[in-house]
Amino acid sequence: MSHPTSTDQGIALDARGIRFEGGPQLVLCASLFYFRLPREQWRARLAQVRASGYTCVDVYLPWNFHEKAPGRWSFEGRRDVAAFLDLAREEGLYVIARPGPYICSEWDGGALPAWLGLDPQLRVRQHEPRFLDRVTAWFDQALPLLAERQYPANGPVIMVQLENELDFFDCEDRTGYLTALRDQAVRHGITVPLIACSGQGDLEGATGDVPGVVPACNFYPDDDSPHIEPEVRRYAELLAERDLPLLITETNRRHRTLRRLLASGASLIAPYLQSSGWNFGYTPSAGNWGRPGNLMSHGYDFGGYVSSTGTERPEYAEAQILARVIDTLGPRLALATPTAPHTPVTTDFPTSSSPSALRLDGGGRLLAVPHLGTRTGTGTGTGTAVVNGVPVAVAADSCPLMLVDVPLRPWGHDGTLTLASADLVAAGEGLLVFSSEVPVTVVIGDLRVEIPAPTAGASRRVTAAGLTLVALAPADAVRLRSTDRNGTVRLDAPAPARHAPAPVAVRRARRRADTAPERAAGRHELPPTLESLGVYRGRGTYRTTTDLTGVDELLLVGAADIVDLSVAGRARPTIADFGATRRIDVREATGSVDVEAVVEIWGHANFDDARLPALRLGALRGLGTLWTVRETADVSALWSVHGHWAGRPAPLRELGGWSSTRVGLPVTYTRDIQSATAAALHLEGVVEPVRVTVASGEPNTADAVHEPHTTDTAREPHTVHTVPAEDPWIPLPAGTHRISVTLPHHPSGGGLRAELLALDPVTDWTCSAQDDDLLTAFATEAAEGHEVLLPLTLAPGEEAWLDIELPTSHGGLLLRPDGTQIRVTGWAGGECVGRVWAGDRPDFSGGNADVLWIPPGWSGLTLLVRGAAGPEVPELRTLWLESSD
């Protein structure tokens, strides 16, 4: 299939690279997200990326950041993406814009608005009219902003990405869906290349092979793997067959790995999240990086070269050196083509299983030789590679980009650079400057020159064959301002050392007399989803009274994200099971009791994972359904066996009890189960997912076990469930059902137990809502209160609103609450800055989950502290403040 390789906007793509108006360029691109930073820091962060040597930023545009509620759009303040793009241009950066509609990015819902899930017929990320109508409304807002800022006429945008890693998602009509997105982009005047990235190497799965949509690749290898190069070269070859370059739109942040990608043929290298940020407010996602779920922290930081607070890490200097190599080689490198090295290479250290090299435009090769160890057998930290029969030093944990057989004519010399073992970071008339922490070997023609290892502040200079050769330590190479032909080096002044002051304990606060108001949200037979109450970010409270006479346990189905449940005045440990079914012991309660549940949205799923209900993309949030368990019965016996050599009449065995030599092949167990009420079948002992078919007549819809967050409880006569170990439950309506359980025969697996729970729904709920706007308005208004001293002890379910005086800080403040069994939500500068959970909690990922950041100038810190039931008494002991200057 053919793809356009050029546009009328000055960008051309072909198998040899990316061509701009001024010529070909190899592009280093850093993720930098306006929606994760204060607006007043945009320019400084953009300038910081440019100073790293990177020439481009990629930026998502989150749909639900701009459409805050259905039809309520915002592009002001921190949402003014047009201003951000204009600043990028002013700072000399290109932009790859990624408007989705789905972005992933560990962001609330992957940027898909939560209310989309309220339409049971709307199917996200599908070629489906209801979804595409909503996408059209979003693209009508976002794409004109991009079209007005395309390179080179009016702005920095050089590419626009449609969708994101669609090959991870079960899209029924990829071609139709991507065609619809492409057509909308074209309709809005997007003329720069349209790209679509694959997340797991399925180029057709990511693009639908739609003409006009260029495939790109996301690679997240193990940095220490020896097999990176052959995998990347394969994709470079596949794309070259289409006369397209290899565009790596996401990858790891470590520059040793980025050098290996470069040498394998990448024309765009965009490590994901080099410049970190923050998930303010209720914008983190619930994801599938835990066991199996996780909550994304408010700090959004995967170890990139700039921390969430703007601090430059060691990889920042690595970026500057790599950028100098790219600039020095210029078009020769930008137009290079990948090849397996023809130069023999042997090493005494762990390295690539198949090293990569590039044929440079104009002659010669660039050879990447990664040292994948941290030390050699002698423990010196330096290894030896033999290149073309010449031994050269290679530092541990490095990947020098060696030059082989490169003509020196562009630098005023008639000879050939037969070999250079270190990074070439500058070159001029008769001058070559290298960066290295180990001795440098240079071969000019047949003349071999050894340059001693430089040290910081002490360069090494050698004259040979009419050339001046200079070696700088990396710490000096990043500060290189200019050199004379005689090798005199001029360096910029080093950046002043930063000394973080010691954290300060805050033990005084003003506790507000009032708590945040609740918006009445009506009475409901069954608990509604929060989104149906108009809460897309925030929390809600569910209250009812129910009779627990003769009831030993409750069954909670589909609750998410964070549930504080109280039964008969007793707070239960916080539930954060991502919608998994939970049994709740209530033997101590009897008669008519009050039930209350406060349910908070942490964030909607950013990835589609079928193992738990709340991990599905588009899944809604709320209490789910609460049931009283009226009866339990063991139904593990009397299952008929079908499959393998089982004959007729079918033998009867316990579930999973068939003995066979056909290990790993599926076998089916079937039995009839009858229940006078709604029921739930629990399969205990599931290890690998099992397939369960339920054959039944039309159910009594009033008694059906509600699947999480669906409105239609009618079931087809045959329903099929994939039952994972994380949630081994099957809902059943009242009636008689033929249950068939199909599982691989696993004689060492221990078998299954089956239990049937007869259920009655808990009904007649009164609901109230507190969305993020309501909570923020209360937090930021003046309020009466009284002084309290920490530690502050709370009862489970008790809340305290605290106002805190903050010291002045030019770089902002990190707040670290120290306590047990508490959740702390903070507001400053009119915005929610985030949440911290101390005590028993689910897995967190993404950054430091124990701190909040108060940006400089965001005054008026207010905290909501909530006690949670658990093994310890809820207590806020101390608030630690530390400057992030």
Side-chain angles (χ1 to χ4, degrees), residues 328-350:
T328 300
L329 295 176
R332 292 202 277 184
L333 180 58
L335 294 175
T337 55
T339 179
H342 300 290
T343 302
V345 178
T346 60
T347 70
D348 66 356
F349 50 81

mmCIF file with all atom_site columns, all heavy atoms in Angstrom, residues 328-350:
data_model
loop_
_atom_site.group_PDB
_atom_site.id
_atom_site.type_symbol
_atom_site.label_atom_id
_atom_site.label_alt_id
_atom_site.label_comp_id
_atom_site.label_asym_id
_atom_site.label_entity_id
_atom_site.label_seq_id
_atom_site.pdbx_PDB_ins_code
_atom_site.Cartn_x
_atom_site.Cartn_y
_atom_site.Cartn_z
_atom_site.occupancy
_atom_site.B_iso_or_equiv
_atom_site.pdbx_formal_charge
_atom_site.auth_seq_id
_atom_site.auth_comp_id
_atom_site.auth_asym_id
_atom_site.auth_atom_id
_atom_site.pdbx_PDB_model_num
ATOM 1   N N   . THR A 1 328 ? 26.888 17.733  14.908 1.00 0.00 ? 328 THR A N   1
ATOM 2   C CA  . THR A 1 328 ? 28.198 17.721  14.251 1.00 0.00 ? 328 THR A CA  1
ATOM 3   C C   . THR A 1 328 ? 28.159 16.944  12.940 1.00 0.00 ? 328 THR A C   1
ATOM 4   O O   . THR A 1 328 ? 28.738 17.366  11.933 1.00 0.00 ? 328 THR A O   1
ATOM 5   C CB  . THR A 1 328 ? 29.253 17.109  15.196 1.00 0.00 ? 328 THR A CB  1
ATOM 6   O OG1 . THR A 1 328 ? 29.323 17.900  16.387 1.00 0.00 ? 328 THR A OG1 1
ATOM 7   C CG2 . THR A 1 328 ? 30.617 17.063  14.545 1.00 0.00 ? 328 THR A CG2 1
ATOM 8   N N   . LEU A 1 329 ? 27.456 15.822  12.934 1.00 0.00 ? 329 LEU A N   1
ATOM 9   C CA  . LEU A 1 329 ? 27.385 15.013  11.721 1.00 0.00 ? 329 LEU A CA  1
ATOM 10  C C   . LEU A 1 329 ? 26.330 15.521  10.747 1.00 0.00 ? 329 LEU A C   1
ATOM 11  O O   . LEU A 1 329 ? 26.405 15.236  9.550  1.00 0.00 ? 329 LEU A O   1
ATOM 12  C CB  . LEU A 1 329 ? 27.117 13.555  12.086 1.00 0.00 ? 329 LEU A CB  1
ATOM 13  C CG  . LEU A 1 329 ? 28.249 12.874  12.876 1.00 0.00 ? 329 LEU A CG  1
ATOM 14  C CD1 . LEU A 1 329 ? 27.841 11.469  13.274 1.00 0.00 ? 329 LEU A CD1 1
ATOM 15  C CD2 . LEU A 1 329 ? 29.541 12.855  12.076 1.00 0.00 ? 329 LEU A CD2 1
ATOM 16  N N   . GLY A 1 330 ? 25.346 16.244  11.247 1.00 0.00 ? 330 GLY A N   1
ATOM 17  C CA  . GLY A 1 330 ? 24.379 16.937  10.404 1.00 0.00 ? 330 GLY A CA  1
ATOM 18  C C   . GLY A 1 330 ? 23.704 16.063  9.367  1.00 0.00 ? 330 GLY A C   1
ATOM 19  O O   . GLY A 1 330 ? 23.276 14.939  9.661  1.00 0.00 ? 330 GLY A O   1
ATOM 20  N N   . PRO A 1 331 ? 23.595 16.539  8.107  1.00 0.00 ? 331 PRO A N   1
ATOM 21  C CA  . PRO A 1 331 ? 22.889 15.784  7.064  1.00 0.00 ? 331 PRO A CA  1
ATOM 22  C C   . PRO A 1 331 ? 23.501 14.417  6.803  1.00 0.00 ? 331 PRO A C   1
ATOM 23  O O   . PRO A 1 331 ? 22.797 13.504  6.358  1.00 0.00 ? 331 PRO A O   1
ATOM 24  C CB  . PRO A 1 331 ? 22.998 16.688  5.835  1.00 0.00 ? 331 PRO A CB  1
ATOM 25  C CG  . PRO A 1 331 ? 23.221 18.063  6.387  1.00 0.00 ? 331 PRO A CG  1
ATOM 26  C CD  . PRO A 1 331 ? 24.026 17.868  7.630  1.00 0.00 ? 331 PRO A CD  1
ATOM 27  N N   . ARG A 1 332 ? 24.775 14.248  7.033  1.00 0.00 ? 332 ARG A N   1
ATOM 28  C CA  . ARG A 1 332 ? 25.395 12.937  6.791  1.00 0.00 ? 332 ARG A CA  1
ATOM 29  C C   . ARG A 1 332 ? 24.736 11.874  7.665  1.00 0.00 ? 332 ARG A C   1
ATOM 30  O O   . ARG A 1 332 ? 24.553 10.736  7.229  1.00 0.00 ? 332 ARG A O   1
ATOM 31  C CB  . ARG A 1 332 ? 26.895 13.014  7.066  1.00 0.00 ? 332 ARG A CB  1
ATOM 32  C CG  . ARG A 1 332 ? 27.625 13.880  6.045  1.00 0.00 ? 332 ARG A CG  1
ATOM 33  C CD  . ARG A 1 332 ? 29.088 13.524  5.983  1.00 0.00 ? 332 ARG A CD  1
ATOM 34  N NE  . ARG A 1 332 ? 29.850 14.184  7.037  1.00 0.00 ? 332 ARG A NE  1
ATOM 35  C CZ  . ARG A 1 332 ? 31.177 14.109  7.161  1.00 0.00 ? 332 ARG A CZ  1
ATOM 36  N NH1 . ARG A 1 332 ? 31.876 13.383  6.304  1.00 0.00 ? 332 ARG A NH1 1
ATOM 37  N NH2 . ARG A 1 332 ? 31.799 14.756  8.115  1.00 0.00 ? 332 ARG A NH2 1
ATOM 38  N N   . LEU A 1 333 ? 24.391 12.265  8.887  1.00 0.00 ? 333 LEU A N   1
ATOM 39  C CA  . LEU A 1 333 ? 23.704 11.334  9.783  1.00 0.00 ? 333 LEU A CA  1
ATOM 40  C C   . LEU A 1 333 ? 22.207 11.313  9.493  1.00 0.00 ? 333 LEU A C   1
ATOM 41  O O   . LEU A 1 333 ? 21.579 10.244  9.520  1.00 0.00 ? 333 LEU A O   1
ATOM 42  C CB  . LEU A 1 333 ? 23.958 11.741  11.235 1.00 0.00 ? 333 LEU A CB  1
ATOM 43  C CG  . LEU A 1 333 ? 23.309 10.879  12.320 1.00 0.00 ? 333 LEU A CG  1
ATOM 44  C CD1 . LEU A 1 333 ? 23.746 9.427   12.196 1.00 0.00 ? 333 LEU A CD1 1
ATOM 45  C CD2 . LEU A 1 333 ? 23.651 11.418  13.712 1.00 0.00 ? 333 LEU A CD2 1
ATOM 46  N N   . ALA A 1 334 ? 21.604 12.449  9.219  1.00 0.00 ? 334 ALA A N   1
ATOM 47  C CA  . ALA A 1 334 ? 20.163 12.511  8.984  1.00 0.00 ? 334 ALA A CA  1
ATOM 48  C C   . ALA A 1 334 ? 19.738 11.687  7.787  1.00 0.00 ? 334 ALA A C   1
ATOM 49  O O   . ALA A 1 334 ? 18.606 11.189  7.739  1.00 0.00 ? 334 ALA A O   1
ATOM 50  C CB  . ALA A 1 334 ? 19.726 13.968  8.816  1.00 0.00 ? 334 ALA A CB  1
ATOM 51  N N   . LEU A 1 335 ? 20.617 11.505  6.805  1.00 0.00 ? 335 LEU A N   1
ATOM 52  C CA  . LEU A 1 335 ? 20.293 10.740  5.608  1.00 0.00 ? 335 LEU A CA  1
ATOM 53  C C   . LEU A 1 335 ? 20.924 9.352   5.613  1.00 0.00 ? 335 LEU A C   1
ATOM 54  O O   . LEU A 1 335 ? 20.921 8.656   4.590  1.00 0.00 ? 335 LEU A O   1
ATOM 55  C CB  . LEU A 1 335 ? 20.760 11.503  4.362  1.00 0.00 ? 335 LEU A CB  1
ATOM 56  C CG  . LEU A 1 335 ? 20.030 12.822  4.084  1.00 0.00 ? 335 LEU A CG  1
ATOM 57  C CD1 . LEU A 1 335 ? 20.667 13.533  2.899  1.00 0.00 ? 335 LEU A CD1 1
ATOM 58  C CD2 . LEU A 1 335 ? 18.548 12.576  3.820  1.00 0.00 ? 335 LEU A CD2 1
ATOM 59  N N   . ALA A 1 336 ? 21.437 8.931   6.756  1.00 0.00 ? 336 ALA A N   1
ATOM 60  C CA  . ALA A 1 336 ? 22.102 7.627   6.843  1.00 0.00 ? 336 ALA A CA  1
ATOM 61  C C   . ALA A 1 336 ? 21.084 6.499   6.758  1.00 0.00 ? 336 ALA A C   1
ATOM 62  O O   . ALA A 1 336 ? 19.901 6.668   7.059  1.00 0.00 ? 336 ALA A O   1
ATOM 63  C CB  . ALA A 1 336 ? 22.893 7.539   8.145  1.00 0.00 ? 336 ALA A CB  1
ATOM 64  N N   . THR A 1 337 ? 21.550 5.328   6.372  1.00 0.00 ? 337 THR A N   1
ATOM 65  C CA  . THR A 1 337 ? 20.696 4.144   6.278  1.00 0.00 ? 337 THR A CA  1
ATOM 66  C C   . THR A 1 337 ? 21.286 3.030   7.129  1.00 0.00 ? 337 THR A C   1
ATOM 67  O O   . THR A 1 337 ? 22.502 2.871   7.218  1.00 0.00 ? 337 THR A O   1
ATOM 68  C CB  . THR A 1 337 ? 20.571 3.674   4.818  1.00 0.00 ? 337 THR A CB  1
ATOM 69  O OG1 . THR A 1 337 ? 21.885 3.449   4.276  1.00 0.00 ? 337 THR A OG1 1
ATOM 70  C CG2 . THR A 1 337 ? 19.857 4.711   3.983  1.00 0.00 ? 337 THR A CG2 1
ATOM 71  N N   . PRO A 1 338 ? 20.428 2.238   7.789  1.00 0.00 ? 338 PRO A N   1
ATOM 72  C CA  . PRO A 1 338 ? 20.927 1.215   8.721  1.00 0.00 ? 338 PRO A CA  1
ATOM 73  C C   . PRO A 1 338 ? 21.498 0.002   8.008  1.00 0.00 ? 338 PRO A C   1
ATOM 74  O O   . PRO A 1 338 ? 21.098 -0.339  6.900  1.00 0.00 ? 338 PRO A O   1
ATOM 75  C CB  . PRO A 1 338 ? 19.681 0.842   9.526  1.00 0.00 ? 338 PRO A CB  1
ATOM 76  C CG  . PRO A 1 338 ? 18.543 1.134   8.615  1.00 0.00 ? 338 PRO A CG  1
ATOM 77  C CD  . PRO A 1 338 ? 18.967 2.325   7.784  1.00 0.00 ? 338 PRO A CD  1
ATOM 78  N N   . THR A 1 339 ? 22.415 -0.630  8.678  1.00 0.00 ? 339 THR A N   1
ATOM 79  C CA  . THR A 1 339 ? 23.025 -1.850  8.152  1.00 0.00 ? 339 THR A CA  1
ATOM 80  C C   . THR A 1 339 ? 23.612 -2.623  9.325  1.00 0.00 ? 339 THR A C   1
ATOM 81  O O   . THR A 1 339 ? 23.923 -2.053  10.371 1.00 0.00 ? 339 THR A O   1
ATOM 82  C CB  . THR A 1 339 ? 24.138 -1.518  7.146  1.00 0.00 ? 339 THR A CB  1
ATOM 83  O OG1 . THR A 1 339 ? 24.722 -2.732  6.672  1.00 0.00 ? 339 THR A OG1 1
ATOM 84  C CG2 . THR A 1 339 ? 25.219 -0.665  7.773  1.00 0.00 ? 339 THR A CG2 1
ATOM 85  N N   . ALA A 1 340 ? 23.736 -3.907  9.165  1.00 0.00 ? 340 ALA A N   1
ATOM 86  C CA  . ALA A 1 340 ? 24.547 -4.660  10.118 1.00 0.00 ? 340 ALA A CA  1
ATOM 87  C C   . ALA A 1 340 ? 26.004 -4.286  9.869  1.00 0.00 ? 340 ALA A C   1
ATOM 88  O O   . ALA A 1 340 ? 26.411 -4.091  8.720  1.00 0.00 ? 340 ALA A O   1
ATOM 89  C CB  . ALA A 1 340 ? 24.338 -6.155  9.932  1.00 0.00 ? 340 ALA A CB  1
ATOM 90  N N   . PRO A 1 341 ? 26.816 -4.152  10.910 1.00 0.00 ? 341 PRO A N   1
ATOM 91  C CA  . PRO A 1 341 ? 28.182 -3.650  10.707 1.00 0.00 ? 341 PRO A CA  1
ATOM 92  C C   . PRO A 1 341 ? 29.028 -4.629  9.893  1.00 0.00 ? 341 PRO A C   1
ATOM 93  O O   . PRO A 1 341 ? 29.035 -5.824  10.142 1.00 0.00 ? 341 PRO A O   1
ATOM 94  C CB  . PRO A 1 341 ? 28.713 -3.503  12.123 1.00 0.00 ? 341 PRO A CB  1
ATOM 95  C CG  . PRO A 1 341 ? 27.890 -4.424  12.948 1.00 0.00 ? 341 PRO A CG  1
ATOM 96  C CD  . PRO A 1 341 ? 26.532 -4.440  12.329 1.00 0.00 ? 341 PRO A CD  1
ATOM 97  N N   . HIS A 1 342 ? 29.706 -4.069  8.899  1.00 0.00 ? 342 HIS A N   1
ATOM 98  C CA  . HIS A 1 342 ? 30.668 -4.876  8.149  1.00 0.00 ? 342 HIS A CA  1
ATOM 99  C C   . HIS A 1 342 ? 32.012 -4.877  8.863  1.00 0.00 ? 342 HIS A C   1
ATOM 100 O O   . HIS A 1 342 ? 32.902 -5.656  8.518  1.00 0.00 ? 342 HIS A O   1
ATOM 101 C CB  . HIS A 1 342 ? 30.824 -4.311  6.730  1.00 0.00 ? 342 HIS A CB  1
ATOM 102 C CG  . HIS A 1 342 ? 29.537 -4.306  5.957  1.00 0.00 ? 342 HIS A CG  1
ATOM 103 N ND1 . HIS A 1 342 ? 28.927 -5.455  5.518  1.00 0.00 ? 342 HIS A ND1 1
ATOM 104 C CD2 . HIS A 1 342 ? 28.727 -3.292  5.572  1.00 0.00 ? 342 HIS A CD2 1
ATOM 105 C CE1 . HIS A 1 342 ? 27.817 -5.163  4.881  1.00 0.00 ? 342 HIS A CE1 1
ATOM 106 N NE2 . HIS A 1 342 ? 27.669 -3.838  4.895  1.00 0.00 ? 342 HIS A NE2 1
ATOM 107 N N   . THR A 1 343 ? 32.135 -3.998  9.847  1.00 0.00 ? 343 THR A N   1
ATOM 108 C CA  . THR A 1 343 ? 33.380 -3.919  10.608 1.00 0.00 ? 343 THR A CA  1
ATOM 109 C C   . THR A 1 343 ? 33.364 -4.979  11.701 1.00 0.00 ? 343 THR A C   1
ATOM 110 O O   . THR A 1 343 ? 32.446 -5.012  12.525 1.00 0.00 ? 343 THR A O   1
ATOM 111 C CB  . THR A 1 343 ? 33.509 -2.527  11.249 1.00 0.00 ? 343 THR A CB  1
ATOM 112 O OG1 . THR A 1 343 ? 33.456 -1.540  10.229 1.00 0.00 ? 343 THR A OG1 1
ATOM 113 C CG2 . THR A 1 343 ? 34.803 -2.417  12.024 1.00 0.00 ? 343 THR A CG2 1
ATOM 114 N N   . PRO A 1 344 ? 34.349 -5.864  11.764 1.00 0.00 ? 344 PRO A N   1
ATOM 115 C CA  . PRO A 1 344 ? 34.367 -6.881  12.822 1.00 0.00 ? 344 PRO A CA  1
ATOM 116 C C   . PRO A 1 344 ? 34.520 -6.224  14.195 1.00 0.00 ? 344 PRO A C   1
ATOM 117 O O   . PRO A 1 344 ? 35.342 -5.324  14.387 1.00 0.00 ? 344 PRO A O   1
ATOM 118 C CB  . PRO A 1 344 ? 35.590 -7.731  12.481 1.00 0.00 ? 344 PRO A CB  1
ATOM 119 C CG  . PRO A 1 344 ? 35.933 -7.392  11.067 1.00 0.00 ? 344 PRO A CG  1
ATOM 120 C CD  . PRO A 1 344 ? 35.472 -5.989  10.841 1.00 0.00 ? 344 PRO A CD  1
ATOM 121 N N   . VAL A 1 345 ? 33.686 -6.676  15.155 1.00 0.00 ? 345 VAL A N   1
ATOM 122 C CA  . VAL A 1 345 ? 33.721 -6.135  16.511 1.00 0.00 ? 345 VAL A CA  1
ATOM 123 C C   . VAL A 1 345 ? 33.690 -7.299  17.487 1.00 0.00 ? 345 VAL A C   1
ATOM 124 O O   . VAL A 1 345 ? 32.821 -8.168  17.412 1.00 0.00 ? 345 VAL A O   1
ATOM 125 C CB  . VAL A 1 345 ? 32.536 -5.199  16.790 1.00 0.00 ? 345 VAL A CB  1
ATOM 126 C CG1 . VAL A 1 345 ? 32.589 -4.692  18.226 1.00 0.00 ? 345 VAL A CG1 1
ATOM 127 C CG2 . VAL A 1 345 ? 32.515 -4.036  15.813 1.00 0.00 ? 345 VAL A CG2 1
ATOM 128 N N   . THR A 1 346 ? 34.635 -7.327  18.386 1.00 0.00 ? 346 THR A N   1
ATOM 129 C CA  . THR A 1 346 ? 34.599 -8.267  19.504 1.00 0.00 ? 346 THR A CA  1
ATOM 130 C C   . THR A 1 346 ? 34.802 -7.472  20.780 1.00 0.00 ? 346 THR A C   1
ATOM 131 O O   . THR A 1 346 ? 35.430 -6.412  20.782 1.00 0.00 ? 346 THR A O   1
ATOM 132 C CB  . THR A 1 346 ? 35.687 -9.344  19.387 1.00 0.00 ? 346 THR A CB  1
ATOM 133 O OG1 . THR A 1 346 ? 36.982 -8.710  19.369 1.00 0.00 ? 346 THR A OG1 1
ATOM 134 C CG2 . THR A 1 346 ? 35.514 -10.165 18.120 1.00 0.00 ? 346 THR A CG2 1
ATOM 135 N N   . THR A 1 347 ? 34.247 -7.982  21.882 1.00 0.00 ? 347 THR A N   1
ATOM 136 C CA  . THR A 1 347 ? 34.338 -7.247  23.153 1.00 0.00 ? 347 THR A CA  1
ATOM 137 C C   . THR A 1 347 ? 34.612 -8.214  24.292 1.00 0.00 ? 347 THR A C   1
ATOM 138 O O   . THR A 1 347 ? 34.344 -9.417  24.183 1.00 0.00 ? 347 THR A O   1
ATOM 139 C CB  . THR A 1 347 ? 33.035 -6.488  23.454 1.00 0.00 ? 347 THR A CB  1
ATOM 140 O OG1 . THR A 1 347 ? 32.002 -7.440  23.780 1.00 0.00 ? 347 THR A OG1 1
ATOM 141 C CG2 . THR A 1 347 ? 32.566 -5.643  22.275 1.00 0.00 ? 347 THR A CG2 1
ATOM 142 N N   . ASP A 1 348 ? 35.121 -7.654  25.385 1.00 0.00 ? 348 ASP A N   1
ATOM 143 C CA  . ASP A 1 348 ? 35.255 -8.453  26.610 1.00 0.00 ? 348 ASP A CA  1
ATOM 144 C C   . ASP A 1 348 ? 34.184 -8.053  27.624 1.00 0.00 ? 348 ASP A C   1
ATOM 145 O O   . ASP A 1 348 ? 34.325 -8.295  28.819 1.00 0.00 ? 348 ASP A O   1
ATOM 146 C CB  . ASP A 1 348 ? 36.662 -8.301  27.202 1.00 0.00 ? 348 ASP A CB  1
ATOM 147 C CG  . ASP A 1 348 ? 36.949 -6.890  27.712 1.00 0.00 ? 348 ASP A CG  1
ATOM 148 O OD1 . ASP A 1 348 ? 36.080 -5.998  27.541 1.00 0.00 ? 348 ASP A OD1 1
ATOM 149 O OD2 . ASP A 1 348 ? 38.044 -6.671  28.280 1.00 0.00 ? 348 ASP A OD2 1
ATOM 150 N N   . PHE A 1 349 ? 33.119 -7.430  27.147 1.00 0.00 ? 349 PHE A N   1
ATOM 151 C CA  . PHE A 1 349 ? 32.023 -7.009  28.023 1.00 0.00 ? 349 PHE A CA  1
ATOM 152 C C   . PHE A 1 349 ? 30.700 -7.378  27.351 1.00 0.00 ? 349 PHE A C   1
ATOM 153 O O   . PHE A 1 349 ? 30.645 -7.609  26.137 1.00 0.00 ? 349 PHE A O   1
ATOM 154 C CB  . PHE A 1 349 ? 32.090 -5.505  28.286 1.00 0.00 ? 349 PHE A CB  1
ATOM 155 C CG  . PHE A 1 349 ? 32.227 -4.650  27.057 1.00 0.00 ? 349 PHE A CG  1
ATOM 156 C CD1 . PHE A 1 349 ? 31.114 -4.319  26.262 1.00 0.00 ? 349 PHE A CD1 1
ATOM 157 C CD2 . PHE A 1 349 ? 33.468 -4.166  26.664 1.00 0.00 ? 349 PHE A CD2 1
ATOM 158 C CE1 . PHE A 1 349 ? 31.248 -3.530  25.141 1.00 0.00 ? 349 PHE A CE1 1
ATOM 159 C CE2 . PHE A 1 349 ? 33.610 -3.365  25.530 1.00 0.00 ? 349 PHE A CE2 1
ATOM 160 C CZ  . PHE A 1 349 ? 32.489 -3.057  24.760 1.00 0.00 ? 349 PHE A CZ  1
ATOM 161 N N   . PRO A 1 350 ? 29.606 -7.431  28.107 1.00 0.00 ? 350 PRO A N   1
ATOM 162 C CA  . PRO A 1 350 ? 28.311 -7.739  27.497 1.00 0.00 ? 350 PRO A CA  1
ATOM 163 C C   . PRO A 1 350 ? 27.882 -6.622  26.554 1.00 0.00 ? 350 PRO A C   1
ATOM 164 O O   . PRO A 1 350 ? 27.949 -5.440  26.894 1.00 0.00 ? 350 PRO A O   1
ATOM 165 C CB  . PRO A 1 350 ? 27.359 -7.852  28.694 1.00 0.00 ? 350 PRO A CB  1
ATOM 166 C CG  . PRO A 1 350 ? 28.034 -7.120  29.808 1.00 0.00 ? 350 PRO A CG  1
ATOM 167 C CD  . PRO A 1 350 ? 29.501 -7.272  29.583 1.00 0.00 ? 350 PRO A CD  1
#
